Amino acid sequence: MTSDVTTAAPSRTPDRPGYRFYVLAVLILIYMLNFLDRQIIGILAAPLKAEFNMSDKQFGLLGGIAFASVYSTLAIPLAWLADRFSRVWIMTGALAVWSGFTALCGMAGSFGQLFLCRMGVGVGEAGGVAPAYSLIADYFPPHQRARAMAAFAFGIPLGMAAGTLVGGLLAATYGWRTAFIVVGLLGVLIAPLLRLTVRDPKRGGMDAVRTEPQMTAPTPNMAVAPVGTDRTGKIAAQIMLGLGSGLLVLAAFARFTDMISASPLVLAFGGLLAAVIGVSLMIARRTASVVIPKPSFWLLALGAASSSVCGYGVAGWLPLFFMRSFDLTLKQTSWYYAGIALIGGLLGIWLGGMIADKLSKKGKGAYPLTPAIAFLISAPCFILAMNSPWLIGLVLPGGGSHAQQLILAFFIFLIPTGLNLAWLGPITAAVQHLAPAAMRSTASALFLLLNNLLGIAVGFYYFGWMSDLLAPRFGEESLRWAIYTGMGFYVLAAILLVGASRTLKRDWVD
């Protein structure tokens, strides 16, 4: 069997467009499952809060720091391994781990146990994105990468829509536990498809020909790598399974303590997080020495992170907002928000990549400048969509019917939903060009560390914390006002990305 793998792989190269696009389709499917499992918690907010008697702030911790803490930090050592060993093996193990823990969320008997299961989802998903970015960069030439990255990012709206619709309908019919279990088992069943049909291409094989020694990728071509390298990839997958097993033990302990604040759990969580951060920084020091001195890296990462505070935060809280402020049921919210996420997200991601690819012919600065403009448009559109009764009232006395208000809000929500995802193709493509090909997975992981640790952890928690803070004054409408305050992060993101547009050409690596 070893010889079959070694000899068959070279025929499946980026030179064959059909196979190249097949690989992209599989990666989009995996990314869709990534976001489905990540975001399903948003549509389940109401039943989860009722089950475990959580405040908005506690739910913000569950949706934010529980996932983002390990997802962001563990991504660096896993990306480091992906730059050296089998990216496909690492992604396969990652998919199995995060899907398994999503299913286990449906068996949680306490807030503490659910918290730790969400950490387990983060452990798995840490190995799912940066290696995929690197694979895409090695399957598509530079002039197509922004569009390929944008197509890969289709997994976000597809996953959000599927998680919202399938999760919401399952929860409304069979309960929230069934929703977690069904979507989790789906990912476990699909994991073998990735491992058996996708191969690692030559690293940097689609880049321009270079003569500088420092730009030559020192890592072997995984398509013809010796068996020992593939075995190391298996070990990397087993490391993730081991970390997942450790969290399972903690989750079992939480089952009996029934308190996330119990001292043993706090110490275990803090110790695990500190260890992962320490190992991550040690492993990434070589790539960090290349990208951290570049102003473009910080401007791109912090700009994306500022937008993600709203992107992830608003996406996680909008289902509960629709139920509180638009008087929708769980089933109605599932259909309503799934439509917004799917239509708006697909349009925004594709247009962002396509426009940036076209504008990049006039200068590299177009990559960050395109999403900067998009963010400045997104903020007022979100506010207008949330106030559709007032908007209709400018034309129709009394603000129109409830149905008219929902229809108007739906179409306005499509605009910021699309625009706030337009950064994914241009920015992730630009980050790929801040480091040589052999460092791309780790460079992406460093970028994702800042983006996700701030975007997911801060974003999800911020809106819940602000909602609780404003509740004494605004009551059920406190979440609306919390979202209003978060729109300032879009303005900050635009400022940072405009700055990146002025430095990117100097920091670019072909």
Side-chain angles (χ1 to χ4, degrees):
M1 295 299 296
T2 301
S3 60
D4 293 339
V5 173
T6 305
T7 57
S11 65
R12 293 173 173 174
T13 67
D15 294 329
R16 294 200 171 190
Y19 182 67
R20 178 192 310 168
F21 288 107
Y22 167 78
V23 170
L24 181 60
V26 172
L27 294 178
I28 292 171
L29 174 63
I30 303 305
Y31 203 24
M32 183 186 80
L33 294 173
N34 181 299
F35 256 80
L36 191 159
D37 291 2
R38 183 189 311 187
Q39 293 295 120
I40 189 175
I41 196 170
I43 192 63
L44 302 180
L48 286 174
K49 281 168 58 65
E51 176 81 16
F52 298 113
N53 193 29
M54 287 183 280
S55 66
D56 284 353
K57 182 170 68 174
Q58 286 178 306
F59 184 72
L61 286 172
L62 188 66
I65 194 67
F67 173 86
S69 57
V70 288
Y71 172 68
S72 303
T73 53
L74 192 58
I76 292 178
L78 290 175
W80 180 86
L81 289 171
D83 273 333
R84 287 152 179 79
F85 308 113
S86 173
R87 291 167 284 190
V88 174
W89 256 114
I90 291 171
M91 289 186 66
T92 302
L95 174 58
V97 169
W98 90 59
S99 299
F101 270 100
T102 298
L104 288 172
C105 286
M107 303 177 187
S110 67
F111 176 75
Q113 191 179 21
L114 185 58
F115 188 97
L116 290 169
C117 285
R118 285 291 294 175
M119 286 182 66
V121 176
V123 167
E125 294 202 7
V129 181
Y133 285 162
S134 179
L135 283 172
I136 292 170
D138 286 336
Y139 270 104
F140 290 87
H143 68 278
Q144 294 180 353
R145 279 181 193 154
R147 275 172 285 186
M149 293 290 182
F152 173 67
F154 281 171
I156 296 177
L158 290 171
M160 289 176 62
T164 299
L165 184 60
V166 176
L169 295 180
L170 284 173
T173 306
Y174 303 105
W176 64 269
R177 295 183 184 276
T178 300
F180 274 126
I181 292 170
V182 169
V183 300
L185 292 180
L186 177 63
V188 174
L189 294 175
I190 290 178
L193 175 70
L194 173 65
R195 176 63 190 93
L196 295 175
T197 65
V198 174
R199 296 291 182 266
D200 280 275
K202 179 181 179 181
R203 297 174 193 264
M206 297 298 287
D207 291 347
V209 177
R210 296 176 300 252
T211 58
E212 299 89 333
Q214 68 270 25
M215 290 293 110
T216 302
T219 50
N221 175 5
M222 290 304 304
V224 295
V227 179
T229 305
D230 193 56
R231 186 178 296 118
T232 309
K234 295 180 184 179
I235 294 173
Q238 291 169 357
I239 290 172
M240 280 187 294
L241 292 171
L243 286 169
S245 300
L247 282 174
L248 271 178
V249 173
L250 289 176
F253 180 66
R255 175 80 174 184
F256 297 102
T257 62
D258 198 35
M259 290 179 63
I260 194 62
S261 59
S263 296
L265 285 178
V266 172
L267 291 174
F269 172 71
L272 175 64
L273 185 57
V276 170
I277 291 175
V279 171
S280 299
L281 293 177
M282 179 185 68
I283 285 176
R285 65 184 183 275
R286 182 165 172 259
T287 303
S289 68
V290 173
V291 298
I292 285 181
K294 297 182 176 183
S296 297
F297 172 79
W298 290 101
L299 291 167
L300 291 173
L302 294 177
S306 297
S307 72
S308 293
V309 169
C310 277
Y312 286 117
V314 173
W317 286 101
L318 270 182
L320 194 59
F321 167 80
F322 290 140
M323 297 174 71
R324 286 182 180 178
S325 298
F326 281 17
D327 296 322
L328 297 180
T329 65
L330 181 57
K331 282 188 177 181
Q332 290 170 333
T333 300
S334 300
W335 285 104
Y336 190 74
Y337 189 45
I340 292 172
L342 182 64
I343 299 172
L346 289 176
L347 290 174
I349 288 173
W350 181 250
L351 287 174
M354 183 178 66
I355 292 171
D357 264 347
K358 290 183 179 297
L359 293 179
S360 65
K361 298 174 182 178
K362 299 181 180 180
K364 308 302 183 186
Y367 282 88
L369 195 57
T370 301
I373 296 171
F375 294 143
L376 291 176
I377 300 172
S378 293
C381 286
F382 264 125
I383 295 173
L384 287 175
M386 295 168 67
N387 289 277
S388 59
W390 170 81
L391 201 56
I392 289 183
L394 296 177
V395 180
L396 300 176
S401 67
H402 187 238
Q404 290 172 327
Q405 295 167 8
L406 289 175
I407 292 171
L408 178 61
F410 182 92
F411 284 107
I412 299 177
F413 267 121
L414 292 178
I415 300 171
T417 299
L419 292 179
N420 78 50
L421 292 175
W423 69 268
L424 288 161
I427 299 303
T428 54
V431 170
Q432 296 296 302
H433 288 277
L434 294 179
M439 297 180 177
R440 281 176 177 156
S441 288
T442 310
S444 294
L446 286 168
F447 165 80
L448 291 171
L449 171 65
L450 292 173
N451 180 56
N452 293 321
L453 197 57
L454 293 174
I456 301 177
V458 174
F460 215 109
Y461 176 77
Y462 170 83
F463 291 104
W465 168 76
M466 184 60 69
S467 178
D468 278 351
L469 187 67
L470 298 175
R473 180 173 182 181
F474 296 104
E476 285 293 301
E477 289 296 302
S478 63
L479 186 54
R480 173 193 295 275
W481 287 90
I483 295 174
Y484 289 165
T485 67
M487 293 298 108
F489 287 103
Y490 277 137
V491 178
L492 176 60
I495 294 171
L496 291 168
L497 292 179
V498 168
S501 71
R502 305 172 73 88
T503 63
L504 189 57
K505 182 178 180 180
R506 183 172 65 248
D507 296 333
W508 193 270
V509 176
D510 285 315

